[in-house]
């Protein structure tokens, strides 16, 4: 089962899924410059967040929309980001930073054998990179992919690590299939991608979340779907009817 909702649908951002479908495991709030996913109970999390990396226990994951002009001259970017979140009462949130318009978010759910995976993401590929080959082409408009993946089943630390690897695979597959070129090569991601995986703390924790498991299948399915949708919307926003021929190849 795959349930979807995003800001591009007729009934607007954060709409409820059809009757009988799963509900989001978090409350979703979009109030510029923040996009906030708030859980009722603390969740086990793993990420490479700029200011809250590694294994964490938190109730919130929050995106901050930032432009270069927002940073005070001479300011330490990490200190400024931490202070901005703290000033808004989000000091304990696992933080994500994006230049993508914060209202351009996408979310969906997939359920496999009773395990539900939920993905919330903002998607941009303007600063796309090919793995193992940094681009020398200047970035005209910053853009990145920031992703939250929640699994309905508790996970051990090993399970969280494997889940983040599956989410990374799904994201990369969607980017490769979209064939987005930069500097004459096909990108596989961006230079500033970030993924947060989260799971409940209470209950028996799963050690494994690989491609042979229901957890891995649900995570892969939902992340792949959200990435494809987000890339399509990003292309329409930045290229529209004037998109380059090679940027539409799939």
């Amino acid at each position: 089962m795959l349930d979807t909702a995003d800001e591009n649908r007729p009934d607007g951002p954060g709409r409820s899924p059809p009757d009988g479908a799963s509900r989001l495991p978090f409350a979703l709030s979009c109030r510029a410059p923040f996009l906030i996913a708030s859980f009722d109970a603390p969740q086990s999390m793993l990420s490479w967040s700029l200011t809250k990396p590694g294994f964490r226990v938190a109730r919130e994951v929050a995106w901050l929309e930032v432009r270069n002009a927002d940073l005070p001259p001479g300011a330490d970017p990490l200190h400024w980001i931490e202070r901005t979140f703290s000033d808004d009462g989000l000091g304990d949130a696992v933080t994500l930073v994006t230049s993508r318009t914060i209202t351009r978010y996408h979310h969906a759910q997939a359920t496999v054998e009773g395990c539900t995976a939920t993905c919330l993401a903002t998607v941009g590929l303007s600063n796309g990179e090919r793995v193992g080959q940094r681009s020398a082409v200047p970035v005209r408009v910053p853009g990145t992919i920031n992703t939250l993946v929640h699994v309905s089943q508790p996970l051990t630390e090993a399970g969280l690590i494997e889940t983040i690897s599956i989410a990374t695979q799904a994201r990369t597959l969607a980017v490769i299939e979209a064939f987005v070129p930069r500097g004459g090569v096909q990108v596989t991601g961006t230079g500033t991608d970030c993924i947060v995986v989260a799971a409940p703390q209470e209950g028996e924790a799963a050690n494994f979340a690989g491609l042979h498991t229901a957890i891995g299948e649900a995570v892969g399915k939902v992340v792949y779907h959200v990435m494809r949708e987000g890339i399509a919307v990003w292309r329409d926003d930045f290229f529209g009817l004037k998109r380059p021929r090679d940027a539409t190849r799939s």
Side-chain angles (χ1 to χ4, degrees):
M1 180 178 71
L2 183 65
D3 302 318
T4 65
D6 66 49
E7 77 292 348
N8 304 292
R9 300 183 183 280
D11 37 3
R15 72 180 177 93
S16 298
D19 289 342
S22 299
R23 301 290 172 175
L24 292 177
F26 46 76
L28 184 58
S29 172
C30 184
R31 47 179 179 83
F34 295 102
L35 173 66
I36 307 164
S38 302
F39 295 90
D40 288 339
Q43 305 290 300
S44 298
M45 299 188 187
L46 173 63
S47 76
W48 58 89
S49 161
L50 278 173
T51 61
K52 297 286 195 301
F55 293 101
R56 297 275 173 170
V57 174
R59 288 178 180 267
E60 293 177 310
V61 177
W63 281 247
L64 172 64
E65 180 184 334
V66 176
R67 297 287 186 272
N68 288 338
D70 294 329
L71 295 171
D76 179 326
L78 290 183
H79 177 73
W80 179 84
I81 290 167
E82 288 181 321
R83 190 181 71 247
T84 300
F85 276 101
S86 179
D87 289 348
D88 206 79
L90 296 168
D92 293 329
V94 173
T95 58
L96 298 170
V97 179
T98 183
S99 63
R100 188 74 166 109
T101 302
I102 207 65
T103 57
R104 300 306 248 178
Y105 63 85
H106 307 263
H107 60 81
Q109 289 184 305
T111 300
V112 177
E113 299 174 11
C115 176
T116 298
T118 305
C119 180
L120 171 65
T122 53
V123 182
L125 286 167
S126 303
N127 71 339
E129 295 279 2
R130 183 179 181 87
V131 65
Q133 184 177 336
R134 288 184 294 171
S135 177
V137 177
V139 177
R140 294 183 179 180
V141 180
T144 191
I145 301 174
N146 284 289
T147 309
L148 165 64
V149 184
H150 180 268
V151 175
S152 60
Q153 183 172 349
L155 297 169
T156 63
E157 288 191 352
L160 286 167
I161 292 170
E162 196 162 23
T163 298
I164 211 167
S165 79
I166 300 300
T168 303
Q169 285 187 57
R171 181 207 65 196
T172 303
L173 177 61
V175 172
I176 290 173
E177 289 186 346
F179 198 88
V180 177
R182 180 171 176 232
V185 298
Q186 181 181 352
V187 305
T188 60
T190 79
T192 49
D193 286 0
C194 189
I195 297 175
V196 182
V197 294
Q201 289 194 290
E202 300 297 324
E204 184 177 354
N207 284 309
F208 305 105
L211 295 177
H212 290 306
T213 70
I215 295 171
E217 182 179 350
V219 168
K221 185 189 298 288
V222 75
V223 174
Y224 177 75
H225 172 84
V226 168
M227 291 301 112
R228 283 177 58 90
E229 188 174 74
I231 292 168
V233 172
W234 169 78
R235 276 180 160 157
D236 284 340
D237 286 348
F238 281 87
F239 297 115
L241 296 177
K242 297 181 180 179
R243 67 181 66 170
R245 181 183 177 125
D246 60 353
T248 63
R249 179 178 169 184
S250 59

